[in-house]
Amino acid sequence: MIIQPYNLYIERTDATRNMARFYAMSIEPNLFGEACLMRRWGRIGTRGQTMSHHFATEQDAVDLFFELLRQKKRRGYSPVAHRAPAGR
């Protein structure tokens, strides 16, 4: 059982290098009640690649979640402000 939801979406863009990347993570329970860290990354506008990690405890998944977040922040990824749809 997952006690607290963990969801993250961050982007890294650099127009001079034609770079537009995203990275998304979430911790979710699988069918057997284990904690599963789901990762998705790629170029913005594509489906990207996915990877999942299964853990016996939620704490192990949270530890990896925050380690990956630290790595991505060092590489220049940052949160994205949600934009309101046009006309509203």
Side-chain angles (χ1 to χ4, degrees):
M1 171 189 250
I2 303 299
I3 297 173
Q4 178 177 342
Y6 289 90
N7 294 301
L8 175 73
Y9 179 85
I10 51 181
E11 292 182 354
R12 179 180 178 194
T13 57
D14 185 348
T16 62
R17 296 172 59 192
N18 193 27
M19 180 188 302
R21 299 178 182 164
F22 74 91
Y23 195 85
M25 290 190 294
S26 65
I27 298 177
E28 304 168 6
N30 65 11
L31 292 175
F32 304 107
E34 301 170 328
C36 184
L37 174 62
M38 303 296 295
R39 304 188 315 168
R40 193 167 53 91
W41 68 93
R43 186 162 177 84
I44 295 172
T46 67
R47 291 187 56 153
Q49 300 178 32
T50 61
M51 180 181 286
S52 63
H53 303 270
H54 302 274
F55 298 93
T57 67
E58 181 178 354
Q59 186 58 50
D60 292 337
V62 171
D63 292 344
L64 181 57
F65 183 95
F66 284 115
E67 176 59 30
L68 291 168
L69 175 58
R70 280 189 290 276
Q71 289 176 8
K72 296 303 173 188
K73 287 181 94 173
R74 280 194 301 264
R75 299 193 99 200
Y77 283 82
S78 60
V80 179
H82 292 286
R83 297 181 192 105
R88 289 186 184 199

